[in-house]
Amino acid sequence: MKIIKDFKLIYLFVGLLFIVSSCEDDLDTVPLDDDASTAEDFFNQDDAYKRLLAGVYGNLNLTSASDAGSSNIGGLDAGTSQYGRALMNLQTFTTDEAIWSYENDPGIAEIQRSTWTPANVIIRGAFGRIMGSVAFANEFLRQSTEAKLNSRNVSGEELQEMPAFRAEARLLRALSYYHMLDLFGKAPFVTEEDPVGVFRSEEIVGVDLFNYIESELLEAMPNLKDARTNEYARADKAVAWMILAKLYLNAEVYIGEDRYADALEYSQNIIDAGYSLTPNYQDVFRADNDVNGAQNEVIFPVPADGNFSQSFGPSTVFTNGAVGSIEENGAALGVPESGWGGAIRVTPQFVSLFNGAAFTNDTRNTIISEDRPINITDVSNRDQGYILIKFTDVRSDGTQDDNLDISSVDFPMFRLADVYLMYAEAHLRGGGGSRAQAVEYVNLIRTRAQNGSTTWNISDSDLTLDFIIDERARELYWESHRRQDLRRFGLFTGASYVWTLKGNSLSGIPIADFRGLFPIPSESMSANPNLTQNPGY
Amino acid sequence: MNTFKYLCLFLLMPLGILAQNTVSGTVVDSQNMPIPGVNILIENTQRGTTTDFDGKYTIEINNGEVLVYSYLGFKTQKVSYTGQSEINVKLKPDADQLEEVVLIGYGTSTKKDLTGSVTSISQEDFTKGNIITPENLINGRVAGVTVKTSGAPGSGSEIRIRGGGSLNSNNQPLIVIDGLPLSNDIAGGRSILSSINPNDIESFSILKDASATAIYGNRASAGVIIIKTKKGTKDFQVDFNYTAGVYSLNDQVDVFSSDEFRRLISQELPDQVDQLGDANTNWQDEIYRVANSFDHNLSVRGQLFDKIPVRLSLGHLDQQGIRLTSEFERSSVSTSINPTFFDDRLRVNLNANYTRESNRFADGVEGAAILFDPTQPVRNPNSPFGGFFEYFNPATNEPLLATRNPVASLLQRTNETEVDRFYGNLNLDYRLHFLPQVRAVVNFGYDESNGSGSNELSRESINGERLDDGSFNGSFSRFTSDIKNTLFDAYLKFDDDITEDISLRGTVGYSYQEFTNKSFNTGETREAAQIDDSDVNTLPDIVLIGYIGRAFVSFKDKYIASYSIRRDGSSRFAEGNKWGTFQSAALSWNISDENFLTDSKVISNLKLRASYGETGQQEIGPRIIGLESFNTSQPTAQVIIGGVPIAAGFPVARNEDLTWETAKTYNIGLDYGFFNDRLTGSIDVYTRDTEDLFVVAPVPEGSNFTNTIEQNSGTLNTEGIEFGINAQIFDDKGDSDKFDWNVNYNFTLLNQELDELANDSDIPVGGIGGGTGGFIQLHSVGHAPNSFWVFNQIYDDNGRPIEGAYADLNGDNIINDDDRYLFRDPDADITMGFQSTMNYKNFDFSFNMRASLGNYVYNNVNSSRAQFQLLQNNAALGNVPTQVLETGFQNTSDVIRSDIYIEDASFLRMDNFQVGYTFQDVVQKNTTLRFWAGMNNVFVITDYSGLDPEVFGGIDNTIFPRPQTFLLGANFKF
């Protein structure tokens, strides 16, 4: 009957309303892509924890999960936001070791001319990328607590690996805090106890930060794998010793304390662990430096691969960028002929470190000077200034990588040659050890540099602090150590040492001491009002 | 059944009024054509019926009762029943414009009953001219609405209603077609609206203020455009349109000619003179061509089986772009079927549309064309690169670091996509039998785009990857994509006169929408390194749910109040933040109905409106922002551990606190009409505060997995005044021998300012060319969004700028970013539109002009190229814009952020004009044939030195130029 039918309509409509209100659950959408998963799905897969740990390591080389052109750090281009690149810009381009030709690239002019401000995008990128490692490490620790492991029924081999995994995550976090201490003197203090989101942490400064890094490394130490026993590129005790050694060696700068004895002790630990210098210096910086023998010298590499682990990191930049505008020697470096058109030159002050008969045949002296004026009077003129070759995307047998643009050279963050010099320096600064031993270690470096010839080994009287700072540059240039070294020797700021573009002057002028530390970026300060600015900014 | 009814009535009716009679009749219009669907109600009862397709009706009635005949567009009539067996009624059309039906959210309203700020445009009002996309139909016609199109064929536009009101969300208004809101992303196609054939559009409504848009809460913060397509008609009608157009470039960037260049090089770089060539090439001429287009449309309307109104439209458009190789082709089929059942109680609207678009995209090579040495030829028969001149080392074929031949870049690339799009909806509207004041409406909508395409670079191109053996490999990749949007709406509409003076209308409803998006990309397939980086990218679904309620109360049709409330949920946000509530209220007063004005000869319409409304916005980039999730490495972003690449896991940045952005708008408006509506228009004044503004703001480092993320922290204030007037200067009153002239003028004043930003911190935006990034604009509290952030140039005594010399605004003796200041912004302060349409005898002439004042543009073409150092462009010589002579600048990095490059781009533009002649009664009666000729992009008057003062986002880093177009067309109707 019509009226009843109409009532049925009402019931139908009301019924529909009930159905539709249950559709509210549809608002709980989840990622659908095979490359994205909810936490539950992610931890259901095999090797979930190893993958997550790999992600923490990954932040040292990659800028995103998708490709080299994307970044999870905003405010600057993806390549410049890479971890090693940030260190490269702040530790190398602020010194006499390199000049970047394209000053239109955001931030770089201020960096190499010592005129940076809290608005500088490179500094902001570094702050974000380094703390990003802290965030990833914290996340790993959050997800691998006993409670979480139990609730996910993690067992067997994966469970056994967990202490080592966790120790490595803590080490990586300590490494990043060490970088923060070195660059900024302080950091936002965030651990796995803190929430994820928009969390305004307290800051940790100076001595507190120093002690925290030290304690983290010492606590993680027992669970770290013994030196040279872990998989390639994973951290072990030697890496922890290295970070501690650096911490102690620079303690006077960081916190005004003499810790040279500790620096020497840990350097010795590393030296005794079985590392050896690669006979051919160039091999350390070649595309196959994970297998050509360099792996015995490198304590902590940051692996890269032109196919599978792409980034515009320091190895890519130093390879493409070193190609000369006049020479077009890209083929020798394993990149397209004209590379990046002469992006990098070295200062005359750096060149002078290789002056003298001692360095004519030094394999570390790859300076190219023909047809080039040594002085740079116009930064944008790429034909001025000398160039050199260090990183080459070529294998030791001469063959090239598939990918001509992206480097496969694993960046050596820490290597044995550095430790030899650290031992010698710690000794000279009163840290103990033996002088003869120090000379011997330095000569190992010299002999290797001279391809086995001992002609230019040093004698006991040559071993002075002035020698050390220069030899460190000759051995370790472009490996992101220079600013730290110059600071330690009182040469970075002030008048004692000047170089082209220091203080925004072509001949170089002194810069104020407060520029020994970088400013906290203005965006970071506004996002977290608990942070305080460094003096002078 | 009938017996039962009679029995009930018998029981319910008191004796004495038991005399039930039947009356029937036909309802016709002034031309004696029957009108189907006329509402016939027995006054003060619940009984009624409607006329069928022949205009006939039958109804039970009692003595003394009154029949009320009503139909939209006609004057209501009442007839008393005193025993007639047949009552035939002739309804008179309602000449009163106020009865004109206007589309509002989820239904219609008469203009009279509107409380919000709504502009309605129907076919007669459409601006004339070659209309390829629907946005062109409204450009310049409506106060408060701006439309920016690029020159690319079939290209989409940036439509802004009242500025949009948001910083980071999609500021495009919601487009609703026949009740189906359209998806904004199209797989491989150019824009949402480019797939709609503009000839199928019957009317547009533009909802501007919040009380009008509040009903669409969840996607309507930036305004709503409602489109209604043409339906079937009783008589068979055919409409055929043909348009042909010729497009050409009308301006170029000023660079040096080959001879001027030779002189310049011998002056500035004398030792590079040997690098010059012998040719005389104008590279900008070489990358463009004269293009043409052909557009055919056929639309047939009528009734199937004499009962079911049907419209069927077919269309085909072929359009070349003036940039070499760019092309657009569109075929469309569209139908609308609107049967009614059960005595017109059940109205069914079935709309189905299918379009196929083919696009060939041409890369933006304008930059290369500006830089390329004009003394070099386009072709070089000795070149291994397809016979095109390129810079390479002849010994090794190694490309040199230099600009690439732009003509080769265009001709050696084939970037084609095809998009099949189907969208349609089924709308059922049922008037309840026992409660005729209530209609139940159910709407199912579906929108699916399937795109596919390939991008191939020829093996002869110098831009391809180089293999070990020295040969070039070009590149090739393919993609497919599938985007779907499903909609379900259900609502009840109530419309009744509660008393003689008070009528009430209400709507309650529910809406559910789901968006899916999946695409596949092969990645580069010709790489030497055979990594498989093909990827299927499935985006998370978006689900939007809404509960809606709205009510209108009107007293004596003079005083109207409305209220609406909406509760919306979005799947984007985290638990606890998914829902938002949005309300609005409005009042309006039809002053012209008051006694002191009803007899006025001057004022024919005066209506005062005031409204307050809230709308929500949830359209941010990420589809899920509040969920704990992890990403896994894609093939090139793996981590090498133990010598083996591992697909690593990375936690994804999230913000669990993010929720709806809400815009709150106050609007006061006055609609007016003078001299029997010879002059009509409206004035609106409004202020809108967008709160919980989506800002991509810095997040404390270490606390999240990124350093910036979408946050709700900021307030944007928009204020404006809109004035529109439509004047029938000469009225031929239907006599085509008289001169008829209609003009429309609209004026908009718009001001936007950021009242609040996250942490009071400025946000740099506006990436510029020159280097690896850099920003030229800033969002800053107290200023318009996207204000330009530049250095203050210092000039010498002769008025020439001193390179790199900027005012030390903070007096600290260092020139750095602290000395940059905020100077102007890209949004116009005032925009105006003017249309004129004239008719005399069978001629018609119309044109459309627009003006914009106070919009500024950063000339990135000059800022990154007009410097003498670029004469040596890496390994080659490079041309530079002649503007360099005005400044004498040498180094790009010294000058790129100078305020000298911020130019006033105010303009006056004539968008189109058209002249036509109509032959009447061709072939048979009531058929017309119209021929017309016209021009698009007729002229532009501006001080801006660049190519075109209308630039997206205010940064001009070369554009796809807007061509000047000559058109011819024919239209045949019968």
Side-chain angles (χ1 to χ4, degrees), chain A residues 60 93 163 187 198 220 232 305 310 330 355 437 485 521:
Chain A
L60 295 173
F93 280 92
V198 185
Y232 179 75
D305 185 87
Q310 297 181 352
N355 281 347
Q437 183 68 260
D485 292 342

Side-chain angles (χ1 to χ4, degrees), chain B residues 439-504:
Chain B
R439 303 192 77 97
V441 181
V442 166
N443 190 23
F444 299 95
Y446 186 71
D447 176 11
E448 176 169 1
S449 298
N450 282 315
S452 67
S454 63
N455 193 340
E456 175 173 9
L457 183 67
S458 150
R459 287 195 164 86
E460 290 182 321
S461 167
I462 196 177
N463 291 309
E465 196 194 349
R466 194 147 190 228
L467 300 174
D468 281 342
D469 64 358
S471 64
F472 286 83
N473 217 7
S475 70
F476 184 80
S477 64
R478 293 190 62 251
F479 83 92
T480 59
S481 101
D482 184 7
I483 300 177
K484 290 195 189 80
N485 164 7
T486 348
L487 165 76
F488 170 73
D489 278 337
Y491 47 100
L492 291 173
K493 296 195 292 188
F494 174 81
D495 184 348
D496 195 21
D497 293 329
I498 305 197
T499 71
E500 198 180 312
D501 289 334
I502 303 181
S503 75
L504 178 69

Side-chain angles (χ1 to χ4, degrees), chain A residues 1-3 6-7 9-10 13 16-17 20-21 23-24 26-39 42-43 45 50-52 54-59 62 64-68 72-77 80 102-106 110 115 117 119 124 127-128 131-132 135-136 138-139 142-143 188 190 195-200 231-234 303-310 328 336-341 378 380 382 400-404 515 523-524 526-528, chain B residues 1 4 345 393 396 398-401 430 432-434 440 442 465-466 468 488 490-492 510 512 514 528-531 535-545 547 569-572 575 578-579 623-624 627-643 645-651 654-657 698-709 711 759 761-762 764 770-775 814 816-818 869 872 874-875 891-893 896-897:
Chain A
M1 304 194 205
K2 242 182 176 172
I3 295 181
D6 289 337
F7 274 122
L9 260 169
I10 301 249
F13 202 79
L16 268 170
L17 270 176
V20 299
S21 57
C23 286
E24 289 194 7
D26 286 0
L27 290 179
D28 296 326
T29 52
V30 292
L32 296 174
D33 195 60
D34 44 358
D35 293 327
S37 25
T38 55
F42 182 80
F43 288 105
Q45 52 179 335
K50 182 145 187 202
R51 290 178 194 276
L52 193 60
V56 188
Y57 279 101
N59 195 48
L62 303 167
S64 77
S66 52
D67 57 271
N72 50 5
I73 297 292
L76 71 172
D77 93 285
T80 317
Y102 302 111
E103 286 194 299
N104 207 15
D105 291 352
E110 285 185 350
T115 56
T117 68
R124 181 176 175 212
F127 200 91
M131 288 307 295
F136 283 170
N138 284 339
E139 183 65 11
R142 244 179 239 118
Q143 298 288 355
V190 191
V196 172
V198 185
F199 170 66
R200 297 171 169 178
E231 284 181 283
Y232 179 75
R234 274 177 61 187
D305 185 87
N307 290 337
F308 299 109
S309 196
Q310 297 181 352
E328 295 188 339
E337 204 174 286
S338 31
W340 289 355
D378 171 6
S380 60
R382 287 158 268 136
Q400 273 186 20
D401 216 22
D402 288 331
N403 189 321
L404 285 182
R515 289 199 180 271
E523 288 86 353
S524 312
S526 65
N528 186 351
Chain B
M1 197 55 217
F4 184 85
R345 266 215 313 276
N393 181 338
T396 59
E398 174 80 29
L400 298 178
L401 193 64
Y430 180 71
L432 296 183
H433 171 79
F434 56 96
V442 166
E465 196 194 349
R466 194 147 190 228
D468 281 342
F488 170 73
Y491 47 100
L492 291 173
Y510 170 83
Y512 178 96
E514 188 186 51
Q530 296 298 311
I531 347 164
D535 187 43
V536 173
N537 189 14
T538 314
L539 296 182
D541 294 341
I542 303 177
V543 176
L544 300 176
I545 294 180
Y547 298 97
S570 165
S571 63
R572 280 193 150 102
E575 199 67 49
K578 291 185 192 281
W579 293 92
R623 287 184 168 215
I624 295 186
L627 192 66
E628 184 186 10
S629 63
F630 293 83
N631 278 341
T632 312
S633 296
Q634 284 182 27
T636 62
Q638 299 183 72
V639 182
I640 316 259
I641 302 252
I646 295 188
F650 300 90
R654 64 184 190 256
N655 183 351
E656 291 165 4
D657 296 328
V699 89
E701 280 88 348
S703 73
N704 210 324
F705 309 112
T706 179
N707 65 346
T708 50
I709 200 166
Q711 299 178 50
N759 311 317
S761 169
D762 297 335
T772 49
F775 300 98
I814 307 180
N816 55 23
D817 277 350
D818 293 341
Q869 80 174 144
Q872 180 67 56
N874 292 309
N891 285 323
T892 318
S893 53
I896 194 165
R897 293 177 180 86

Side-chain angles (χ1 to χ4, degrees), chain B residues 769-955:
Chain B
T772 49
F775 300 98
I776 201 73
Q777 291 169 314
L778 202 64
H779 292 322
S780 179
V781 174
H783 293 91
N786 301 302
S787 293
F788 293 109
W789 182 42
V790 284
F791 288 110
N792 191 325
Q793 184 71 53
I794 293 182
Y795 298 78
D796 64 19
D797 294 327
N798 299 322
R800 269 186 72 100
I802 305 175
E803 178 156 350
Y806 303 122
D808 180 11
L809 294 175
N810 63 353
D812 64 349
N813 289 324
I814 307 180
I815 302 295
N816 55 23
D817 277 350
D818 293 341
D819 298 303
R820 284 166 85 170
Y821 72 112
L822 292 172
F823 177 63
R824 311 284 185 197
D825 70 270
D827 294 312
D829 301 322
I830 294 177
T831 54
M832 299 189 274
F834 182 76
Q835 282 87 43
S836 152
T837 311
M838 296 179 202
N839 280 285
Y840 181 61
K841 306 233 180 193
N842 285 320
F843 287 98
D844 61 84
F845 172 65
S846 59
F847 65 84
N848 176 355
M849 293 203 296
R850 281 179 304 123
S852 166
L853 300 171
N855 55 311
Y856 283 76
V857 171
Y858 170 70
N859 193 330
N860 198 196
V861 171
N862 286 338
S863 74
S864 65
R865 295 178 182 83
Q867 292 84 34
F868 282 113
Q869 80 174 144
L870 292 172
L871 286 175
Q872 180 67 56
N873 190 356
N874 292 309
L877 293 176
N879 205 343
V880 295
T882 54
Q883 195 256 0
V884 71
L885 298 173
E886 283 169 38
T887 59
F889 285 157
Q890 297 286 337
N891 285 323
T892 318
S893 53
D894 289 339
V895 304
I896 194 165
R897 293 177 180 86
S898 164
D899 62 2
I900 201 176
Y901 294 112
I902 307 290
E903 297 186 42
D904 187 345
S906 302
F907 65 86
L908 171 67
R909 180 167 225 145
M910 177 178 279
D911 276 334
N912 60 58
F913 77 80
Q914 203 179 93
V915 175
Y917 185 82
T918 311
F919 293 97
Q920 303 281 358
D921 297 329
V922 163
V923 178
Q924 34 168 317
K925 204 162 169 30
N926 281 335
T927 62
T928 59
L929 176 62
R930 174 170 175 261
F931 288 106
W932 59 271
M935 247 180 92
N936 273 1
N937 195 10
V938 186
F939 65 77
V940 65
I941 299 175
T942 181
D943 277 339
Y944 179 59
S945 67
L947 227 46
D948 193 311
E950 283 188 88
V951 178
F952 291 102
I955 297 176

